[in-house]
């Protein structure tokens, strides 16, 4: 059994990755319903938390039905990370995660996220500051290194374990790869097989099907798998993988009606959390993913993108089901 702090997980847990503008409470709720074992907030700026920035504080909202749930923070300053850890502790998540993996320029080039991969000593100092500032279990998500010439994940794993982290998630790409090319899980396997490493090691990168999840579990020996982009518009992936692991059989893909029901829930929860206008505006990024592969759906997508109320949205969905003769 995998254990982080007081959290006991199934033998092989599946984690929903923290994704900016995606992993909010409405989306997390859907993924939890579909089998995610551990989820994280969107990443939160330590500087933003200290400044009491509204957007950063909003991301701290978690709900009991999401548990176990982790709050993820990022930053490049010891004092800011330490203070933000204390702020996070007040909302009582199940763990606190540090982001040393975000590759986007506005984060990495300011010496945070994957930018810290250039300075392992700083990474260790930041991590130690957080661990010493909170009673919460502290975990880390990172990448293999800044680029292929500076892959340092072996040293990173040992040193972060030494200062007290309780689990490590490794995205098997470098920062320079961003999200392109293939992930290389051989590095993750090397960390997992290191006799010095005693904490759970979770793998992340390119898991987009039950078959691949099982292949990577068996081939690389990780303690669990984190799924990110493959869950966008496809919260069912957790249930599909678990069913395949248990039975060796693939579940059929969700029907159009099941997709519509999921979007209706997602949209309703989004409007309840953010307000109707903002909730529906932010839902627009999800429609293409939910309905990918559905024949002749383009005209309906245009209608969905123009809706500004739940009633309008439900009317569009009623029309779709009626015209496609789905009951």
């Amino acid at each position: 059994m995998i254990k982080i702090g007081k959290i006991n997980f199934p033998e092989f847990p599946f984690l929903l990755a923290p994704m900016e503008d995606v992993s909010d409470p409405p989306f997390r709720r859907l993924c939890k319903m579909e089998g995610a074992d551990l989820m994280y907030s969107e990443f939160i700026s330590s500087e933003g938390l200290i400044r009491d920035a509204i957007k950063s504080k909003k991301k701290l909202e978690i709900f009991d039905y999401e548990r176990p749930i982790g709050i993820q923070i990022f930053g490049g300053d010891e004092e800011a990370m330490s203070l933000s850890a204390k702020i996070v502790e007040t909302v009582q998540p199940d763990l606190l995660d540090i982001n040393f993996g975000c590759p986007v320029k506005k984060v990495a080039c300011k010496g945070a996220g994957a930018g810290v991969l250039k300075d392992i000593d700083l990474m260790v100092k930041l991590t130690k500051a957080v661990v010493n500032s909170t009673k919460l279990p502290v975990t880390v998500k990172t990448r293999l290194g800044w680029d292929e010439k500076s892959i340092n994940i072996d040293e990173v794993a040992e040193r972060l374990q030494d200062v007290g982290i309780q689990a490590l998630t490794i995205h098997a790409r470098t920062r320079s790869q961003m999200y392109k090319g293939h992930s290389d899980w051989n590095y993750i396997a090397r960390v997992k097989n290191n006799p010095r490493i005693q904490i759970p090691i979770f793998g992340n990168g390119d898991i987009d099907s039950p078959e691949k999840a099982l292949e990577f579990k068996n081939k690389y020996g990780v303690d669990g798998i984190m799924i990110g982009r493959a869950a966008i518009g496809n919260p069912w992936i957790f249930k599909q993988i678990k069913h395949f692991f248990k039975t060796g059989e693939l579940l059929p893909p969700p029907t159009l009606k099941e997709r519509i029901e999921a979007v209706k829930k997602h949209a309703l929860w989004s409007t309840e959390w953010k307000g109707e206008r903002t909730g529906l505006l932010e839902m627009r990024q999800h429609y293409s993913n939910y309905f990918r592969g559905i024949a002749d759906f383009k005209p309906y997508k245009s209608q969905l993108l123009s809706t500004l109320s739940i009633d309008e949205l439900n009317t569009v969905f009623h029309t779709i089901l009626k015209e496609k003769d789905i009951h």
Side-chain angles (χ1 to χ4, degrees):
M1 181 176 286
I2 304 296
K3 189 170 185 178
I4 301 174
K6 296 179 181 178
I7 315 167
N8 291 312
F9 293 100
E11 183 179 346
F12 191 85
F14 293 94
L15 293 64
L16 173 66
M19 293 177 282
E20 179 73 352
D21 297 326
V22 175
S23 303
D24 57 13
F27 182 69
R28 297 199 303 259
R29 187 173 180 178
L30 267 180
C31 290
K32 182 70 174 182
M33 290 172 58
E34 298 296 335
D37 296 306
L38 173 63
M39 304 183 296
Y40 299 84
S41 67
E42 301 170 75
F43 63 53
I44 304 173
S45 164
S46 56
E47 301 282 356
L49 277 182
I50 294 168
R51 292 196 313 269
D52 206 31
I54 293 173
K55 186 175 182 182
S56 294
K57 296 280 278 190
K58 182 75 172 173
K59 291 178 182 177
L60 284 177
E61 291 188 20
I62 56 176
F63 302 91
D64 281 341
Y65 58 75
E66 300 183 277
R67 294 190 185 277
I69 178 82
I71 298 287
Q72 189 187 72
I73 60 173
F74 72 92
D77 178 80
E78 284 181 69
E79 185 178 4
M81 291 290 278
S82 177
L83 289 171
S84 62
K86 294 180 185 298
I87 295 171
V88 167
E89 194 173 64
T90 65
V91 302
Q92 299 180 322
D94 297 286
L95 60 83
L96 189 160
D97 191 73
I98 306 173
N99 182 312
F100 289 138
C102 178
V104 298
K105 188 176 291 187
K106 68 178 181 179
V107 174
C109 292
K110 290 182 178 179
V116 186
L117 287 164
K118 290 182 173 181
D119 187 343
I120 301 181
D121 289 341
L122 175 61
M123 184 187 288
V124 172
K125 288 177 184 177
L126 293 171
T127 304
K128 187 174 182 179
V130 171
V131 170
N132 291 343
S133 299
T134 180
K135 296 177 182 176
L136 293 168
V138 175
T139 62
V140 164
K141 182 172 188 278
T142 189
R143 289 184 171 232
L144 301 179
W146 180 258
D147 55 32
E148 63 178 15
K149 295 178 181 178
S150 58
I151 291 175
N152 51 21
I153 192 61
D154 302 277
E155 181 183 354
V156 164
E158 290 187 2
R159 293 184 66 183
L160 295 188
Q161 177 182 261
D162 289 347
V163 295
I165 71 166
Q166 296 191 34
L168 177 66
T169 299
I170 303 170
H171 183 132
R173 286 184 173 85
T174 62
R175 187 274 170 179
S176 63
Q177 283 183 275
M178 300 295 285
Y179 295 100
K180 299 176 182 177
H182 293 293
S183 59
D184 189 345
W185 283 52
N186 288 300
Y187 289 102
I188 303 180
R190 199 163 75 189
V191 171
K192 176 60 190 169
N193 291 327
N194 180 346
R196 275 208 61 207
I197 298 298
Q198 302 298 315
I199 59 175
I201 301 296
F202 302 125
N204 175 229
D206 292 341
I207 300 296
D208 56 10
S209 70
E211 299 97 320
K212 189 174 286 186
L214 184 60
E215 176 193 350
F216 279 35
K217 172 184 182 288
N218 293 336
K219 187 173 181 180
Y220 300 107
V222 291
D223 295 301
I225 287 174
M226 178 179 281
I227 296 173
R229 289 172 295 159
I232 301 175
N234 184 27
W236 305 277
I237 191 167
F238 298 99
K239 178 174 68 178
Q240 292 167 346
I241 291 174
K242 287 183 171 182
H243 182 81
F244 185 69
F245 275 34
K246 188 175 182 179
T247 68
E249 299 173 352
L250 291 171
L251 287 172
T255 63
L256 177 57
K257 187 174 183 179
E258 288 170 332
R259 295 174 196 233
I260 287 174
E261 287 303 313
V263 177
K264 287 170 73 172
K265 290 175 183 174
H266 192 168
L268 177 62
W269 297 334
S270 185
T271 57
E272 288 175 347
W273 190 57
K274 303 171 186 175
E276 190 164 54
R277 180 179 176 84
T278 301
L280 287 176
L281 285 173
E282 293 188 9
M283 276 299 297
R284 291 179 177 181
Q285 64 173 317
H286 293 284
Y287 297 138
S288 292
N289 292 301
Y290 273 114
F291 298 107
R292 183 180 287 123
I294 299 294
D296 305 317
F297 198 82
K298 193 172 182 179
Y300 299 123
K301 182 186 170 188
S302 300
Q303 294 177 48
L304 291 172
L305 291 173
S306 67
T307 59
L308 287 174
S309 76
I310 285 291
D311 288 342
E312 287 179 33
L313 188 73
N314 288 336
T315 298
V316 174
F317 285 139
H318 178 76
T319 301
I320 293 170
L321 293 172
K322 185 177 179 181
E323 291 182 358
K324 291 190 174 288
D325 196 27
I326 298 173
H327 304 285

